[in-house]
Amino acid sequence: MRRVDEGPVEFAAPPELTAPRVAAGLGAAGEVQAEPPREIQRRLLDTFDRRVAAAGGALEEVTDGSGPRLEWRRLADGELLGRVPGSAPRFGRDLPPGPGAARLAALLEVRALLPLVTLSTRSEPLEVRNRDGKVVVRAYLEAHWAHGPGAPDPVELGTRVRLAPVRGYPKALRRAREALGEGLGLAPAPQPLGEAAFAAVGAPPAAPVGKPGAGLTPDEPAGQAVRAVLRELLDTIEANRPGAQDAVDPEFLHDLRVAVRRTRALLGRLEGVFSPGSLAPFREGFAWLGAVTGLARDYDVYLEELPGYLKGVPAEARRDLAPLRARLERTRRGAQRALVRALNSRRYQRLVASWREFLARETSAQDAPTDAAQPVAAVAGAAVAKALKRVLREGRAVDDASPPEALHDLRKSCKKLRYLLELFQGAFSGDEARRTIQALKGLQDNLGVFQDLEVHAQALDGLRRELGAETPDLRATDLAFGMLAQSLAERQRRVRGEFGPRFAAFAKQGTRRLRRLAPAFGAGEEGS
């Protein structure tokens, strides 16, 4: 990796500074040659959850005289990680081939690229050459303007001098830095240009930072802690609602639904911290919200999994399944319209407003349930222990003759256990919660794939019947459907066969860790 003092650097410059004055200052580093000025426009891009920034990078769509291109750079030293031609696509999977494209697509996964802010730049390039006439440093005198949703008019960001290194000439770069710093008296820019742009125009809101419950402490009163976690989950629901309504990418709806399910899990498992009867309308409200957002998410998953399912069908038969994708996409659009109506409804608005008001309401000490004043570690630990006992009981009851519903019920119980562990990690000492979640993950993955195959096989059969009723002459498609159904059934049998070892591994590890994590678990899990 390039040393920090050998990477690009930007100096803040007074507006009256001219390119000839910069060239004169750089004369100590070599012969300076001016290039024609140029206009550059850059759109700073990232996902809603800021995956590019979290990975230590910056992604820009650059448009200048040579046409648009996408550049991915490392923030620490400006190293170019990838460059692909053309405008930025919506999804990483649509990136054209180019250096770094595959890595960037893997980082983005299914999240859409969103424009955060646009920068307009007037750049006056200068090249510093050595005695052999080779370029050893590039400098740019640049004036910047920012455009963003919070600023209807361009906002001036001032003038900067940017030095860009040329590989193999670190000494020349250091001389140029000294010439600008000591010779011209320029100081390094106080913050990166992108941060200055965000501060000037206001960046679009990102996903809530951090995980719900991350700030909990073991001795915190349970009532206070649970209310704090539920407020964070409500913030997550509301933050993802616009993206879910606009179908920006499937993760908005997924994250919204996870927050709803976590909320329902807490209302069912930790109701003892609230006054009796106070949660009834909210249980009903969040059950409704889970139901009205379910169909659109189901079809998101169908469409995500379909390419993988089709790999089990001979290549010549895949073309005959084109009506299937078209039907899935049409049904998904109808489900999206229903989702938008629900999230814009008065019922949703009343639910969110009344829930937020309820969570902010202080409960008097004399009216507070006993559990509300207990340390959250004790209350959450008891809930975790109870949830684990249920998982172990249901899992041990599954045998080769168990119907799919038994595994589906176990999957739901595993989810509730995991939600409690994830939301109250901060209330437990050490890494036991994290390790228990890891032990649970393998079992959940197995149950999740089994359930998806079960539900998707039934849904696809229903779609086959609908298509047959609408278009009777679909013999080739019907044959391809049969091949697909056979492939899914075979895969489901393999996944079902993996359940026993997966559950045994979890039961062994999870029981041992939960004894340390939640003393309330005790030693009586066998009979629970």
Side-chain angles (χ1 to χ4, degrees):
M1 183 183 294
R2 182 187 293 158
R3 283 169 38 183
V4 174
D5 63 352
E6 294 177 358
V9 63
E10 290 187 323
F11 292 90
E16 64 272 14
L17 186 66
T18 64
R21 182 72 184 93
V22 176
L26 289 171
E31 181 182 349
V32 183
Q33 179 177 328
E35 296 292 313
R38 52 182 179 164
E39 303 291 332
I40 306 170
Q41 187 172 82
R42 288 178 287 173
R43 287 201 308 161
L44 278 61
L45 306 161
D46 208 337
T47 60
F48 179 66
D49 53 2
R50 304 297 191 263
R51 295 188 177 196
V52 178
L59 189 64
E60 297 179 347
E61 181 189 82
V62 183
T63 304
D64 54 18
S66 59
R69 63 187 180 277
L70 197 62
E71 293 185 350
W72 180 25
R73 296 184 180 276
R74 190 161 48 218
L75 275 177
D77 57 9
E79 181 78 19
L80 184 66
L81 301 175
R83 176 184 285 144
V84 293
S87 300
R90 185 176 182 183
F91 295 103
R93 61 176 178 264
D94 299 323
L95 286 166
R103 279 196 301 153
L104 181 58
L107 172 66
L108 301 177
E109 296 183 315
V110 299
R111 299 246 60 164
L113 279 173
L114 306 174
L116 305 182
V117 66
T118 300
L119 291 168
S120 297
T121 302
R122 177 173 172 79
S123 179
E124 298 182 74
L126 300 166
E127 292 182 341
V128 181
R129 299 176 180 269
N130 62 13
R131 294 178 180 177
D132 297 328
K134 294 182 178 179
V135 178
V136 294
V137 180
R138 290 187 171 88
Y140 304 87
L141 176 63
E142 296 179 329
H144 302 283
W145 294 264
H147 315 254
D153 299 317
V155 178
E156 289 190 30
L157 298 179
T159 303
R160 298 182 178 212
V161 178
R162 176 168 57 92
L163 290 179
V166 174
R167 190 179 297 274
Y169 297 99
K171 291 182 180 179
L173 177 64
R174 287 195 288 271
R175 286 196 297 268
R177 289 166 62 103
E178 292 171 0
L180 294 180
E182 299 175 7
L184 292 183
L186 300 183
Q191 62 184 149
L193 183 61
E195 291 183 11
F198 290 152
V201 303
V209 178
K211 297 180 179 180
L216 297 182
T217 58
D219 295 331
E220 187 173 348
Q224 174 181 310
V226 172
R227 285 176 182 268
V229 172
L230 288 169
R231 282 194 296 269
E232 291 172 331
L233 291 173
L234 180 56
D235 289 341
T236 299
I237 292 170
E238 279 287 84
N240 283 280
R241 180 172 60 90
Q245 288 178 309
D246 296 338
V248 174
D249 68 41
E251 287 301 289
F252 284 98
L253 180 55
H254 172 260
D255 290 349
L256 184 152
R257 282 180 51 76
V258 168
V260 170
R261 290 200 301 267
R262 286 175 164 179
T263 298
R264 296 181 66 193
L266 294 195
L267 296 186
R269 294 289 183 179
L270 295 172
E271 71 274 15
V273 303
F274 297 100
S275 301
S278 62
L279 297 182
F282 301 115
R283 285 200 186 97
E284 180 184 350
F286 283 103
W288 165 79
L289 184 56
V292 296
T293 57
L295 187 60
R297 177 58 188 167
D298 287 345
Y299 278 91
D300 279 343
V301 177
Y302 295 160
L303 289 165
E304 287 174 17
E305 296 294 340
L306 185 60
Y309 291 164
L310 293 180
K311 291 179 181 179
V313 177
E316 60 272 14
R318 294 174 197 167
R319 293 188 298 271
D320 298 323
L321 288 170
L324 169 60
R325 172 170 283 279
R327 182 57 181 249
L328 285 171
E329 290 174 343
R330 187 165 74 248
T331 306
R332 172 63 180 83
R333 289 193 292 271
Q336 179 65 24
R337 290 192 291 271
L339 170 73
V340 171
R341 288 194 296 270
L343 294 180
N344 281 333
S345 68
R346 290 185 178 179
R347 182 171 184 178
Y348 174 84
Q349 294 167 2
R350 286 196 299 267
L351 172 63
V352 169
S354 59
W355 183 231
R356 193 174 294 281
E357 179 185 357
F358 174 82
L359 294 176
R361 195 181 305 151
E362 294 291 337
T363 303
S364 64
Q366 61 183 22
D367 294 333
T370 304
D371 282 355
Q374 297 298 313
V376 66
V379 175
V384 165
K386 184 176 180 181
L388 175 70
K389 288 183 180 183
R390 180 165 187 163
V391 168
L392 293 174
R393 183 177 68 249
E394 292 179 353
R396 288 174 177 138
V398 172
D399 57 26
D400 292 342
S402 296
E405 291 77 15
L407 281 86
H408 180 47
D409 290 342
L410 175 59
R411 183 194 184 197
K412 291 190 290 186
S413 296
C414 286
K415 279 186 175 183
K416 293 174 182 177
L417 170 60
R418 183 167 175 176
Y419 293 157
L420 290 170
L421 289 167
E422 288 174 336
L423 293 173
F424 294 98
Q425 282 190 66
F428 300 110
S429 60
D431 291 333
E432 293 304 324
R434 180 183 60 80
R435 291 174 180 171
T436 307
I437 291 168
Q438 286 300 110
L440 184 60
K441 189 175 184 301
L443 176 60
Q444 277 194 286
D445 288 345
N446 173 262
L447 293 169
V449 172
F450 180 85
Q451 176 65 15
D452 285 348
L453 289 167
E454 175 74 17
V455 172
H456 294 177
Q458 295 176 3
L460 292 174
D461 184 63
L463 288 173
R464 178 188 63 81
R465 295 174 185 276
E466 292 176 11
L467 286 170
E470 294 174 0
T471 311
D473 189 16
L474 281 176
R475 283 170 292 182
T477 297
D478 202 53
L479 181 61
F481 259 110
M483 295 178 184
L484 177 59
Q486 183 177 356
S487 173
L488 295 184
E490 177 56 34
R491 185 177 172 188
Q492 190 177 24
R493 281 193 292 271
R494 292 197 302 270
V495 172
R496 178 67 177 80
E498 296 169 0
F499 167 76
R502 293 284 185 95
F503 178 77
F506 168 74
K508 180 179 179 180
Q509 299 179 48
T511 300
R512 184 175 64 251
R513 288 186 176 128
L514 260 293
R515 281 199 179 100
R516 295 194 291 267
L517 179 69
F521 177 70
E525 74 278 359
E526 291 290 344
S528 299

